[in-house]
Amino acid sequence: MQPVDDTSDEARGKFKKGEGNAAFQAGDFKQAAVYYTEAILAFDKDHAVFSNRAACFLKLGQADKALADCDRCLALSPRFVKALFRRGIALMGLNRFEDAAAAFSATLDADPKYAPARACSAPAPRSACGWAVRDTGSSTWRVYCRNADAKASLQMAQMKAACARQQA
Protein backbone atom coordinates (compact mmCIF):
# COMPACT_ATOMS: atom_id res chain seq x y z
CA MET A 1 0.00 0.00 0.00
CA GLN A 2 1.39 3.40 -0.99
CA PRO A 3 1.25 6.36 1.41
CA VAL A 4 -1.43 8.88 0.63
CA ASP A 5 -0.12 12.30 -0.27
CA ASP A 6 -3.02 14.47 0.82
CA THR A 7 -2.43 17.89 -0.67
CA SER A 8 -6.09 18.74 -0.93
CA ASP A 9 -7.35 22.19 -0.02
CA GLU A 10 -9.05 20.72 3.04
CA ALA A 11 -5.81 19.08 4.22
CA ARG A 12 -3.87 22.33 3.79
CA GLY A 13 -6.60 24.15 5.70
CA LYS A 14 -6.45 21.65 8.56
CA PHE A 15 -2.67 21.97 8.70
CA LYS A 16 -2.84 25.77 8.95
CA LYS A 17 -5.65 25.50 11.50
CA GLY A 18 -3.35 23.33 13.62
CA GLU A 19 -0.61 25.94 13.38
CA GLY A 20 -3.14 28.58 14.38
CA ASN A 21 -4.25 26.52 17.37
CA ALA A 22 -0.63 26.16 18.52
CA ALA A 23 0.04 29.89 18.16
CA PHE A 24 -3.17 30.71 20.05
CA GLN A 25 -2.23 28.35 22.88
CA ALA A 26 1.18 30.07 23.03
CA GLY A 27 -0.54 33.44 23.38
CA ASP A 28 0.58 34.71 19.96
CA PHE A 29 -2.86 35.88 18.85
CA LYS A 30 -1.66 37.96 15.92
CA GLN A 31 0.25 35.02 14.40
CA ALA A 32 -2.65 32.70 15.14
CA ALA A 33 -4.93 35.03 13.17
CA VAL A 34 -2.47 34.87 10.26
CA TYR A 35 -2.49 31.06 10.32
CA TYR A 36 -6.28 30.95 10.54
CA THR A 37 -6.47 33.34 7.59
CA GLU A 38 -4.22 31.00 5.62
CA ALA A 39 -6.46 28.09 6.62
CA ILE A 40 -9.52 29.98 5.37
CA LEU A 41 -7.81 30.82 2.08
CA ALA A 42 -7.02 27.14 1.59
CA PHE A 43 -10.43 25.79 2.67
CA ASP A 44 -13.27 28.10 3.69
CA LYS A 45 -15.83 25.45 4.69
CA ASP A 46 -14.55 24.81 8.25
CA HIS A 47 -16.79 26.90 10.48
CA ALA A 48 -14.51 26.49 13.51
CA VAL A 49 -11.64 28.32 11.81
CA PHE A 50 -13.77 31.45 11.52
CA SER A 51 -14.70 31.17 15.20
CA ASN A 52 -11.05 30.64 16.16
CA ARG A 53 -9.95 33.69 14.19
CA ALA A 54 -12.77 35.66 15.86
CA ALA A 55 -11.29 34.69 19.24
CA CYS A 56 -7.93 36.07 18.07
CA PHE A 57 -9.54 39.32 16.96
CA LEU A 58 -11.28 39.64 20.33
CA LYS A 59 -7.95 39.15 22.10
CA LEU A 60 -6.46 41.82 19.82
CA GLY A 61 -9.29 44.27 20.55
CA GLN A 62 -10.72 44.13 17.01
CA ALA A 63 -14.39 43.57 17.74
CA ASP A 64 -15.52 44.54 14.23
CA LYS A 65 -13.39 41.82 12.62
CA ALA A 66 -14.45 39.32 15.28
CA LEU A 67 -18.10 40.03 14.55
CA ALA A 68 -17.58 39.48 10.81
CA ASP A 69 -15.90 36.13 11.47
CA CYS A 70 -18.62 35.04 13.87
CA ASP A 71 -21.22 35.84 11.24
CA ARG A 72 -19.31 33.80 8.63
CA CYS A 73 -18.99 30.90 11.08
CA LEU A 74 -22.69 31.01 11.90
CA ALA A 75 -23.57 31.05 8.20
CA LEU A 76 -21.84 27.66 7.99
CA SER A 77 -23.02 26.32 11.37
CA PRO A 78 -25.93 28.37 12.80
CA ARG A 79 -25.89 26.85 16.32
CA PHE A 80 -22.13 26.78 16.91
CA VAL A 81 -22.10 27.88 20.54
CA LYS A 82 -18.61 29.38 20.69
CA ALA A 83 -19.40 31.64 17.73
CA LEU A 84 -22.74 32.67 19.23
CA PHE A 85 -21.04 33.66 22.47
CA ARG A 86 -18.09 35.38 20.77
CA ARG A 87 -20.56 37.28 18.62
CA GLY A 88 -22.14 38.63 21.80
CA ILE A 89 -18.76 39.69 23.17
CA ALA A 90 -17.91 41.40 19.86
CA LEU A 91 -21.24 43.23 19.84
CA MET A 92 -20.65 44.43 23.40
CA GLY A 93 -17.23 45.66 22.31
CA LEU A 94 -19.00 47.68 19.62
CA ASN A 95 -21.50 49.05 22.19
CA ARG A 96 -24.37 47.26 20.45
CA PHE A 97 -25.90 46.01 23.68
CA GLU A 98 -29.37 45.08 22.40
CA ASP A 99 -27.79 42.93 19.68
CA ALA A 100 -25.37 41.47 22.23
CA ALA A 101 -28.27 40.49 24.47
CA ALA A 102 -29.89 38.71 21.52
CA ALA A 103 -26.60 36.89 20.77
CA PHE A 104 -26.23 35.75 24.38
CA SER A 105 -29.87 34.64 24.38
CA ALA A 106 -29.17 32.60 21.24
CA THR A 107 -26.17 31.09 23.04
CA LEU A 108 -28.39 30.00 25.89
CA ASP A 109 -30.97 28.61 23.45
CA ALA A 110 -28.27 26.52 21.79
CA ASP A 111 -26.71 25.31 25.06
CA PRO A 112 -28.10 26.51 28.42
CA LYS A 113 -25.04 25.25 30.32
CA TYR A 114 -22.30 26.80 28.15
CA ALA A 115 -19.81 28.50 30.48
CA PRO A 116 -17.02 30.20 28.50
CA ALA A 117 -14.82 33.18 29.28
CA ARG A 118 -12.36 31.74 31.76
CA ALA A 119 -9.85 34.53 31.21
CA CYS A 120 -12.21 37.47 31.63
CA SER A 121 -12.05 40.27 34.17
CA ALA A 122 -14.97 41.50 36.23
CA PRO A 123 -16.89 44.57 35.10
CA ALA A 124 -16.34 47.73 37.12
CA PRO A 125 -19.55 48.91 38.80
CA ARG A 126 -19.73 52.69 38.36
CA SER A 127 -22.01 55.47 37.18
CA ALA A 128 -25.70 55.96 37.82
CA CYS A 129 -26.59 53.20 35.40
CA GLY A 130 -24.41 50.65 37.10
CA TRP A 131 -21.52 49.68 34.83
CA ALA A 132 -18.64 51.41 33.15
CA VAL A 133 -16.12 49.79 30.86
CA ARG A 134 -12.57 49.75 32.18
CA ASP A 135 -9.81 50.27 29.65
CA THR A 136 -7.71 47.12 29.63
CA GLY A 137 -5.55 47.99 26.65
CA SER A 138 -6.01 45.82 23.61
CA SER A 139 -8.36 43.40 25.36
CA THR A 140 -11.30 45.65 26.20
CA TRP A 141 -13.72 42.75 25.71
CA ARG A 142 -12.39 41.21 28.93
CA VAL A 143 -14.28 43.68 31.11
CA TYR A 144 -17.61 42.03 30.49
CA CYS A 145 -17.31 38.89 32.55
CA ARG A 146 -15.36 36.85 35.05
CA ASN A 147 -15.88 33.13 34.83
CA ALA A 148 -19.28 34.14 33.60
CA ASP A 149 -21.72 32.01 31.79
CA ALA A 150 -23.88 33.16 28.93
CA LYS A 151 -26.76 33.94 31.32
CA ALA A 152 -24.65 36.45 33.25
CA SER A 153 -23.43 37.96 29.99
CA LEU A 154 -27.02 38.24 28.77
CA GLN A 155 -28.01 40.02 31.98
CA MET A 156 -25.05 42.40 31.60
CA ALA A 157 -25.97 43.16 27.99
CA GLN A 158 -29.58 43.82 28.97
CA MET A 159 -28.45 46.15 31.77
CA LYS A 160 -26.11 48.07 29.47
CA ALA A 161 -28.86 48.37 26.84
CA ALA A 162 -31.24 49.76 29.46
CA CYS A 163 -28.58 52.25 30.56
CA ALA A 164 -27.99 53.35 26.98
CA ARG A 165 -31.75 53.89 26.49
CA GLN A 166 -31.92 55.84 29.76
CA GLN A 167 -29.07 58.13 28.77
CA ALA A 168 -30.43 58.78 25.27
Side-chain angles (χ1 to χ4, degrees):
M1 185 182 273
Q2 295 207 348
V4 176
D5 181 22
D6 192 354
T7 58
S8 68
D9 292 343
E10 185 174 2
R12 284 194 304 276
K14 284 183 181 181
F15 178 77
K16 288 298 182 178
K17 178 182 175 183
E19 289 185 321
N21 292 345
F24 190 91
Q25 289 296 322
D28 191 351
F29 307 118
K30 190 172 185 178
Q31 186 59 51
V34 169
Y35 286 134
Y36 291 136
T37 299
E38 291 172 354
I40 290 165
L41 291 173
F43 184 74
D44 65 356
K45 305 288 187 257
D46 184 350
H47 65 278
V49 178
F50 288 103
S51 181
N52 291 354
R53 190 171 69 171
C56 293
F57 289 143
L58 287 172
K59 293 281 192 176
L60 296 169
Q62 298 175 0
D64 54 335
K65 291 181 179 181
L67 178 60
D69 274 357
C70 288
D71 288 342
R72 288 185 69 188
C73 174
L74 293 168
L76 294 170
S77 182
R79 293 182 55 86
F80 190 63
V81 179
K82 287 182 180 181
L84 290 167
F85 185 80
R86 289 173 182 157
R87 186 173 193 279
I89 296 295
L91 288 163
M92 286 190 73
L94 296 170
N95 295 324
R96 292 174 50 188
F97 306 119
E98 299 273 354
D99 294 333
F104 293 131
S105 182
T107 304
L108 288 170
D109 289 344
D111 183 354
K113 296 182 180 181
Y114 182 65
R118 293 180 205 144
C120 294
S121 302
R126 294 189 354 202
S127 82
C129 280
W131 301 99
V133 175
R134 286 192 313 229
D135 181 10
T136 59
S138 66
S139 299
T140 53
W141 67 277
R142 291 175 180 247
V143 301
Y144 299 116
C145 54
R146 173 195 290 192
N147 295 327
D149 60 15
K151 183 176 181 182
S153 297
L154 170 61
Q155 292 167 345
M156 171 106 29
Q158 290 171 330
M159 183 185 342
K160 286 182 146 293
C163 289
R165 283 192 304 271
Q166 231 177 17
Q167 293 174 352

